Coordinates of all heavy atoms in Angstrom, one line a residue:
M1089 N -22.0 25.9 -43.6 CA -22.3 24.5 -43.9 C -21.9 23.6 -42.8 O -20.8 23.8 -42.3 CB -21.7 24.1 -45.2 CG -21.8 22.6 -45.6 SD -20.9 22.3 -47.1 CE -22.1 21.5 -47.9
L1090 N -22.7 22.7 -42.4 CA -22.4 21.8 -41.3 C -21.7 20.6 -41.8 O -22.0 20.1 -42.9 CB -23.7 21.3 -40.6 CG -24.5 22.3 -39.9 CD1 -25.8 21.8 -39.2 CD2 -23.6 23.0 -38.7
M1091 N -20.7 20.2 -41.1 CA -19.8 19.1 -41.6 C -20.3 17.8 -40.8 O -20.6 17.9 -39.6 CB -18.4 19.2 -41.2 CG -17.8 20.5 -41.8 SD -16.6 20.4 -43.1 CE -15.8 18.8 -42.8
S1092 N -20.5 16.8 -41.5 CA -20.8 15.5 -40.9 C -19.7 14.9 -40.1 O -18.5 15.0 -40.5 CB -21.3 14.4 -42.1 OG -21.5 13.2 -41.5
Q1093 N -19.9 14.2 -39.0 CA -19.0 13.5 -38.2 C -18.8 12.0 -38.6 O -18.0 11.3 -38.0 CB -19.3 13.6 -36.7 CG -19.2 15.1 -36.2 CD -19.4 15.1 -34.7 OE1 -19.2 14.2 -34.0 NE2 -19.8 16.3 -34.2
N1094 N -19.6 11.6 -39.6 CA -19.6 10.2 -40.0 C -18.2 9.9 -40.6 O -17.7 10.6 -41.4 CB -20.6 9.9 -41.0 CG -22.0 10.0 -40.4 OD1 -22.1 9.9 -39.2 ND2 -23.0 10.1 -41.2
D1095 N -17.6 8.8 -40.1 CA -16.4 8.3 -40.5 C -15.2 9.3 -40.4 O -14.4 9.5 -41.3 CB -16.4 7.8 -42.0 CG -15.4 6.8 -42.3 OD1 -15.0 6.0 -41.4 OD2 -14.9 6.7 -43.5
R1096 N -15.3 10.0 -39.3 CA -14.3 11.0 -39.0 C -13.6 10.6 -37.6 O -14.2 10.3 -36.6 CB -14.8 12.4 -38.9 CG -13.9 13.4 -38.7 CD -14.5 14.8 -38.8 NE -13.5 15.9 -38.4 CZ -13.8 17.1 -38.2 NH1 -15.1 17.5 -38.2 NH2 -13.0 18.0 -37.8
L1097 N -12.2 10.5 -37.6 CA -11.5 10.2 -36.4 C -11.6 11.2 -35.3 O -11.3 12.5 -35.6 CB -10.1 9.9 -36.8 CG -9.2 9.4 -35.7 CD1 -9.5 8.0 -35.2 CD2 -7.7 9.5 -36.1
A1098 N -12.1 10.8 -34.1 CA -12.1 11.9 -33.0 C -10.8 11.8 -32.3 O -10.1 10.8 -32.2 CB -13.2 11.4 -32.1
R1099 N -10.4 13.0 -31.8 CA -9.2 13.0 -30.8 C -9.7 13.0 -29.5 O -10.7 13.8 -29.1 CB -8.4 14.4 -31.2 CG -7.6 14.2 -32.4 CD -6.6 15.3 -32.5 NE -6.0 15.8 -31.3 CZ -6.1 17.1 -30.9 NH1 -6.7 18.0 -31.5 NH2 -5.5 17.4 -29.7
M1100 N -9.2 12.2 -28.6 CA -9.6 12.0 -27.2 C -8.4 12.3 -26.3 O -7.3 12.0 -26.6 CB -10.2 10.6 -27.0 CG -11.2 10.2 -28.0 SD -12.7 11.2 -28.0 CE -13.4 10.6 -26.5
H1101 N -8.8 12.7 -25.0 CA -7.9 12.8 -24.0 C -8.4 11.7 -22.9 O -9.6 11.9 -22.4 CB -7.8 14.1 -23.3 CG -6.8 14.1 -22.1 ND1 -5.4 14.0 -22.4 CD2 -6.9 14.2 -20.9 CE1 -4.8 14.1 -21.2 NE2 -5.8 14.2 -20.2
Y1102 N -7.7 10.6 -22.7 CA -8.2 9.5 -21.7 C -7.7 9.9 -20.3 O -6.6 10.1 -20.1 CB -7.6 8.2 -22.2 CG -8.0 7.9 -23.7 CD1 -7.1 8.1 -24.6 CD2 -9.2 7.5 -24.0 CE1 -7.4 7.8 -26.0 CE2 -9.7 7.2 -25.4 CZ -8.7 7.4 -26.3 OH -9.0 7.2 -27.6
L1103 N -8.6 9.8 -19.5 CA -8.4 10.0 -18.0 C -8.8 8.8 -17.2 O -9.5 7.9 -17.8 CB -9.3 11.3 -17.5 CG -9.1 12.5 -18.3 CD1 -10.2 13.5 -18.0 CD2 -7.8 13.2 -17.9
P1104 N -8.2 8.6 -16.1 CA -8.7 7.5 -15.3 C -10.3 7.6 -14.9 O -10.7 8.5 -14.2 CB -7.9 7.7 -13.9 CG -6.8 8.6 -14.3 CD -7.3 9.4 -15.3
G1105 N -11.0 6.6 -15.5 CA -12.4 6.5 -15.2 C -13.3 7.4 -16.1 O -14.4 7.4 -16.1
S1106 N -12.7 8.2 -17.0 CA -13.5 9.1 -17.9 C -12.6 9.5 -19.1 O -11.4 9.1 -19.2 CB -14.0 10.3 -17.2 OG -12.9 11.1 -16.8
L1107 N -13.2 10.2 -20.0 CA -12.5 10.6 -21.2 C -13.0 12.0 -21.6 O -14.1 12.4 -21.2 CB -12.4 9.7 -22.3 CG -13.8 9.0 -22.7 CD1 -14.5 9.8 -23.6 CD2 -13.5 7.7 -23.2
R1108 N -12.3 12.7 -22.4 CA -12.6 14.1 -22.9 C -12.4 14.1 -24.4 O -11.3 13.8 -24.8 CB -11.8 15.2 -22.2 CG -12.4 16.5 -22.4 CD -11.6 17.5 -21.5 NE -11.0 18.4 -22.4 CZ -9.9 19.0 -22.2 NH1 -9.3 18.9 -21.0 NH2 -9.4 19.8 -23.1
Q1109 N -13.5 14.5 -25.1 CA -13.4 14.6 -26.6 C -12.7 15.9 -26.9 O -13.2 16.9 -26.6 CB -14.6 14.5 -27.2 CG -14.6 14.2 -28.7 CD -15.9 13.8 -29.4 OE1 -16.8 13.4 -28.7 NE2 -15.9 13.8 -30.6
L1110 N -11.6 15.9 -27.6 CA -10.8 17.1 -28.1 C -11.2 17.6 -29.4 O -11.1 18.8 -29.7 CB -9.3 16.8 -28.0 CG -8.8 16.4 -26.7 CD1 -7.3 16.1 -26.8 CD2 -9.0 17.4 -25.6
S1111 N -11.6 16.7 -30.3 CA -12.1 17.2 -31.7 C -13.2 16.2 -32.1 O -13.3 15.0 -31.6 CB -10.9 17.1 -32.6 OG -10.5 15.8 -32.9
A1112 N -14.1 16.8 -32.9 CA -15.2 16.1 -33.4 C -14.9 14.9 -34.2 O -13.9 14.9 -34.8 CB -16.1 17.0 -34.2
G1113 N -15.7 13.8 -34.1 CA -15.5 12.6 -34.8 C -16.5 11.5 -34.3 O -17.1 11.8 -33.4
D1114 N -16.5 10.4 -34.9 CA -17.4 9.3 -34.5 C -16.7 8.1 -34.1 O -17.4 7.1 -33.7 CB -18.4 9.1 -35.7 CG -17.8 8.4 -36.8 OD1 -16.6 8.5 -37.0 OD2 -18.5 7.9 -37.7
H1115 N -15.4 8.0 -34.1 CA -14.7 6.8 -33.7 C -13.2 7.2 -33.4 O -12.7 8.2 -33.6 CB -14.7 5.8 -34.9 CG -13.8 6.2 -36.0 ND1 -14.3 7.1 -37.1 CD2 -12.6 5.8 -36.5 CE1 -13.2 7.2 -37.9 NE2 -12.2 6.5 -37.6
V1116 N -12.6 6.2 -32.7 CA -11.1 6.2 -32.5 C -10.6 4.9 -33.0 O -11.3 4.0 -33.4 CB -10.8 6.4 -30.9 CG1 -11.3 7.7 -30.5 CG2 -11.5 5.3 -30.2
I1117 N -9.4 4.7 -33.0 CA -8.7 3.5 -33.5 C -8.0 2.7 -32.4 O -7.4 3.3 -31.5 CB -7.6 3.7 -34.5 CG1 -8.2 4.7 -35.7 CG2 -6.9 2.6 -35.1 CD1 -9.2 4.0 -36.5
C1118 N -8.3 1.4 -32.3 CA -7.7 0.6 -31.3 C -6.1 0.6 -31.5 O -5.6 0.3 -32.5 CB -8.2 -0.8 -31.4 SG -7.4 -2.0 -30.2
A1119 N -5.4 0.9 -30.4 CA -4.0 1.0 -30.5 C -3.3 -0.5 -30.7 O -2.2 -0.4 -31.2 CB -3.5 1.4 -29.1
V1120 N -4.0 -1.5 -30.5 CA -3.4 -2.8 -30.7 C -3.9 -3.5 -32.0 O -3.0 -3.9 -32.9 CB -3.8 -3.8 -29.6 CG1 -3.3 -5.2 -29.8 CG2 -3.1 -3.2 -28.2
S1121 N -5.1 -3.6 -32.3 CA -5.7 -4.2 -33.5 C -5.9 -3.3 -34.6 O -6.0 -3.8 -35.8 CB -7.1 -4.8 -33.1 OG -8.0 -3.9 -32.9
G1122 N -6.0 -2.1 -34.4 CA -6.2 -1.0 -35.6 C -7.7 -0.9 -36.1 O -7.9 -0.3 -37.0
V1123 N -8.6 -1.6 -35.3 CA -10.0 -1.5 -35.8 C -10.6 -0.3 -35.2 O -10.2 0.4 -34.3 CB -10.8 -2.7 -35.2 CG1 -10.3 -4.0 -35.7 CG2 -10.9 -2.7 -33.7
K1124 N -11.6 0.2 -36.0 CA -12.3 1.4 -35.6 C -13.2 1.1 -34.4 O -13.9 0.1 -34.5 CB -13.2 2.0 -36.7 CG -12.5 2.6 -37.9 CD -13.5 3.0 -38.9 CE -12.8 3.7 -40.1 NZ -13.9 4.1 -41.1
I1125 N -13.3 2.0 -33.4 CA -14.2 1.9 -32.3 C -15.2 3.0 -32.3 O -14.7 4.1 -32.1 CB -13.4 1.8 -31.0 CG1 -12.2 0.8 -31.0 CG2 -14.3 1.7 -29.8 CD1 -11.2 1.0 -29.9
P1126 N -16.4 2.8 -32.5 CA -17.4 3.9 -32.5 C -17.3 4.5 -31.1 O -17.2 3.7 -30.0 CB -18.7 3.2 -32.8 CG -18.3 1.9 -33.4 CD -17.0 1.5 -33.0
L1127 N -17.5 5.8 -30.9 CA -17.4 6.4 -29.7 C -18.4 5.9 -28.6 O -18.1 5.7 -27.4 CB -17.5 8.0 -29.7 CG -16.3 8.6 -30.4 CD1 -16.5 10.1 -30.4 CD2 -15.0 8.2 -29.9
D1128 N -19.6 5.5 -29.1 CA -20.6 5.0 -28.2 C -20.3 3.5 -27.8 O -21.0 3.0 -26.9 CB -22.0 5.0 -28.8 CG -22.2 4.2 -30.1 OD1 -21.1 3.8 -30.7 OD2 -23.3 4.1 -30.6
M1129 N -19.3 2.9 -28.4 CA -18.8 1.6 -28.0 C -17.5 1.6 -27.2 O -17.1 0.5 -26.8 CB -18.7 0.7 -29.2 CG -20.1 0.5 -29.9 SD -21.4 -0.2 -28.9 CE -20.8 -1.9 -28.7
L1130 N -16.9 2.7 -27.1 CA -15.6 2.8 -26.4 C -15.7 2.6 -24.9 O -16.5 3.4 -24.2 CB -15.0 4.3 -26.6 CG -13.7 4.5 -26.1 CD1 -12.6 3.5 -26.5 CD2 -13.2 6.0 -26.4
R1131 N -15.1 1.5 -24.4 CA -15.2 1.2 -23.0 C -13.9 1.0 -22.4 O -13.8 1.0 -21.2 CB -16.1 -0.1 -22.9 CG -17.4 -0.1 -23.5 CD -18.4 0.6 -22.5 NE -19.8 0.5 -23.0 CZ -20.3 1.3 -23.9 NH1 -19.5 2.4 -24.4 NH2 -21.5 1.2 -24.3
Y1132 N -12.8 0.8 -23.2 CA -11.5 0.3 -22.6 C -10.4 1.3 -23.1 O -10.4 1.5 -24.3 CB -11.2 -1.0 -23.0 CG -12.3 -2.0 -22.6 CD1 -13.2 -2.5 -23.5 CD2 -12.5 -2.4 -21.3 CE1 -14.3 -3.3 -23.2 CE2 -13.6 -3.3 -20.9 CZ -14.4 -3.7 -21.8 OH -15.4 -4.5 -21.5
W1133 N -9.7 1.9 -22.2 CA -8.6 2.7 -22.7 C -7.5 2.7 -21.4 O -7.8 2.3 -20.4 CB -9.0 4.1 -22.9 CG -9.7 4.9 -21.8 CD1 -9.1 5.6 -20.7 CD2 -11.1 4.9 -21.5 NE1 -10.0 6.0 -19.9 CE2 -11.2 5.6 -20.4 CE3 -12.2 4.5 -22.2 CZ2 -12.5 6.0 -19.9 CZ3 -13.5 4.7 -21.6 CH2 -13.6 5.4 -20.5
C1134 N -6.4 3.3 -21.7 CA -5.3 3.5 -20.8 C -5.0 5.0 -20.7 O -4.5 5.5 -21.6 CB -4.1 2.6 -21.1 SG -2.7 2.9 -20.0
A1135 N -5.1 5.6 -19.5 CA -4.9 7.0 -19.3 C -3.4 7.2 -19.4 O -2.9 8.2 -20.0 CB -5.4 7.5 -18.1
A1136 N -2.6 6.3 -18.9 CA -1.1 6.5 -18.8 C -0.5 6.4 -20.3 O 0.4 7.2 -20.6 CB -0.5 5.4 -18.0
R1137 N -1.1 5.6 -21.1 CA -0.6 5.4 -22.5 C -1.3 6.2 -23.5 O -0.9 6.3 -24.6 CB -0.6 3.9 -22.9 CG 0.3 3.1 -22.2 CD 0.3 1.7 -22.9 NE 1.2 0.8 -22.2 CZ 0.9 -0.2 -21.5 NH1 -0.4 -0.5 -21.4 NH2 1.8 -1.0 -20.9
Q1138 N -2.4 6.8 -23.1 CA -3.3 7.6 -23.9 C -3.7 6.7 -25.2 O -3.6 7.1 -26.3 CB -2.7 8.8 -24.4 CG -2.7 9.8 -23.3 CD -4.2 10.3 -22.8 OE1 -4.8 10.8 -23.6 NE2 -4.4 9.9 -21.6
E1139 N -4.2 5.4 -24.9 CA -4.6 4.5 -25.9 C -6.0 4.0 -25.7 O -6.4 3.7 -24.5 CB -3.6 3.3 -26.0 CG -2.2 3.6 -26.3 CD -1.3 2.4 -26.3 OE1 -1.7 1.4 -25.6 OE2 -0.3 2.4 -26.9
A1140 N -6.6 3.7 -26.8 CA -8.0 3.1 -26.8 C -7.9 1.6 -27.2 O -6.9 1.2 -27.9 CB -8.9 3.8 -27.7
Y1141 N -8.7 0.7 -26.6 CA -8.8 -0.7 -26.9 C -10.1 -1.1 -27.3 O -11.1 -0.7 -26.7 CB -8.2 -1.5 -25.8 CG -6.8 -1.0 -25.2 CD1 -6.8 -0.4 -23.9 CD2 -5.8 -1.0 -26.0 CE1 -5.6 0.1 -23.5 CE2 -4.5 -0.5 -25.6 CZ -4.5 0.0 -24.2 OH -3.3 0.6 -23.8
A1142 N -10.2 -2.1 -28.3 CA -11.4 -2.5 -28.8 C -12.2 -3.5 -27.9 O -13.4 -3.6 -28.0 CB -11.2 -3.2 -30.2
S1143 N -11.4 -4.1 -27.0 CA -12.1 -5.1 -26.1 C -11.3 -5.3 -24.8 O -10.2 -4.8 -24.7 CB -12.1 -6.5 -26.8 OG -10.8 -7.1 -26.8
C1144 N -12.0 -5.8 -23.9 CA -11.5 -6.1 -22.5 C -10.3 -7.0 -22.8 O -9.2 -6.8 -22.0 CB -12.5 -6.8 -21.7 SG -11.9 -7.3 -20.1
E1145 N -10.3 -8.0 -23.6 CA -9.2 -8.9 -23.7 C -8.0 -8.2 -24.3 O -6.8 -8.4 -23.8 CB -9.6 -10.1 -24.7 CG -10.6 -11.0 -24.2 CD -12.0 -10.5 -24.3 OE1 -12.3 -9.5 -24.9 OE2 -12.9 -11.1 -23.6
I1146 N -8.2 -7.3 -25.2 CA -7.1 -6.5 -25.8 C -6.5 -5.6 -24.7 O -5.2 -5.5 -24.6 CB -7.5 -5.8 -27.0 CG1 -7.8 -6.6 -28.2 CG2 -6.5 -4.7 -27.4 CD1 -8.4 -6.1 -29.4
S1147 N -7.3 -5.0 -23.9 CA -6.9 -4.1 -22.9 C -6.1 -4.8 -21.9 O -4.9 -4.4 -21.4 CB -8.1 -3.4 -22.2 OG -7.7 -2.7 -21.2
T1148 N -6.5 -6.0 -21.4 CA -5.8 -6.8 -20.4 C -4.5 -7.3 -21.0 O -3.3 -7.2 -20.3 CB -6.7 -8.0 -20.0 OG1 -7.9 -7.5 -19.5 CG2 -5.9 -8.8 -18.9
R1149 N -4.5 -7.7 -22.2 CA -3.2 -8.3 -22.8 C -2.2 -7.1 -22.9 O -1.0 -7.3 -22.6 CB -3.5 -8.8 -24.2 CG -2.4 -9.5 -24.8 CD -2.7 -10.1 -26.2 NE -3.9 -9.6 -26.7 CZ -4.4 -9.7 -27.9 NH1 -3.6 -10.2 -28.8 NH2 -5.5 -9.1 -28.3
R1150 N -2.6 -5.9 -23.3 CA -1.8 -4.8 -23.5 C -1.1 -4.4 -22.1 O 0.0 -4.1 -21.9 CB -2.4 -3.6 -24.0 CG -1.6 -2.4 -24.3 CD -0.6 -2.6 -25.3 NE -0.2 -1.3 -25.8 CZ 0.8 -1.1 -26.7 NH1 1.4 -2.1 -27.2 NH2 1.1 0.1 -27.0
H1151 N -2.0 -4.4 -21.0 CA -1.6 -4.1 -19.7 C -0.5 -5.1 -19.2 O 0.5 -4.6 -18.6 CB -2.8 -4.1 -18.7 CG -2.4 -3.9 -17.3 ND1 -2.0 -2.7 -16.8 CD2 -2.4 -4.7 -16.2 CE1 -1.7 -2.7 -15.5 NE2 -1.9 -4.0 -15.2
L1152 N -0.8 -6.4 -19.5 CA 0.2 -7.3 -19.0 C 1.5 -7.3 -19.8 O 2.5 -7.6 -19.2 CB -0.4 -8.8 -19.2 CG -1.6 -9.1 -18.2 CD1 -2.1 -10.4 -18.6 CD2 -1.2 -9.1 -16.7
E1153 N 1.6 -7.0 -21.1 CA 2.7 -6.7 -21.8 C 3.6 -5.6 -21.2 O 4.8 -5.7 -21.3 CB 2.5 -6.3 -23.2 CG 1.9 -7.4 -24.1 CD 1.5 -6.8 -25.5 OE1 1.5 -5.6 -25.7 OE2 1.0 -7.6 -26.3
G1154 N 3.0 -4.6 -20.7 CA 3.7 -3.5 -20.1 C 4.4 -3.6 -18.7 O 5.1 -2.9 -18.2
Q1155 N 4.1 -4.9 -18.1 CA 4.7 -5.2 -16.7 C 6.0 -5.7 -16.9 O 6.5 -6.3 -17.7 CB 3.8 -6.1 -16.0 CG 2.5 -5.4 -15.7 CD 1.6 -6.4 -14.8 OE1 1.9 -7.6 -14.5 NE2 0.5 -5.8 -14.4

């Protein structure tokens, strides 16, 4: 029986400039806001922190907090 990937959290490995999907799923969770990010909308992440971000603004804010 095939399992649906709908509403299933994906495990990702974030790399500089790319990412690798480690387990099947259709979304990840923003490390700051907690919102679901569909994989086809995932554009922002931090390889050093292994975190995904829902928007450019959230990503920038998180980066500035770490300095």
Side-chain angles (χ1 to χ4, degrees):
M1089 175 183 225
L1090 294 175
M1091 304 245 339
S1092 172
Q1093 292 185 25
N1094 291 341
D1095 205 31
R1096 186 171 172 193
L1097 184 65
R1099 283 189 39 234
M1100 308 297 287
H1101 181 70
Y1102 303 103
L1103 303 163
S1106 67
L1107 44 85
R1108 193 171 117 211
Q1109 190 166 353
L1110 301 176
S1111 70
D1114 66 344
H1115 70 278
V1116 294
I1117 303 295
C1118 176
V1120 176
S1121 68
V1123 302
K1124 287 183 182 180
I1125 308 166
L1127 293 185
D1128 62 343
M1129 300 299 293
L1130 179 58
R1131 303 284 184 270
Y1132 307 100
W1133 62 84
C1134 177
R1137 290 188 180 111
Q1138 290 296 294
E1139 295 179 337
Y1141 308 114
S1143 70
C1144 177
E1145 292 80 12
I1146 291 172
S1147 174
T1148 301
R1149 188 174 19 160
R1150 181 71 162 175
H1151 176 71
L1152 292 174
E1153 287 173 356
Q1155 293 184 353

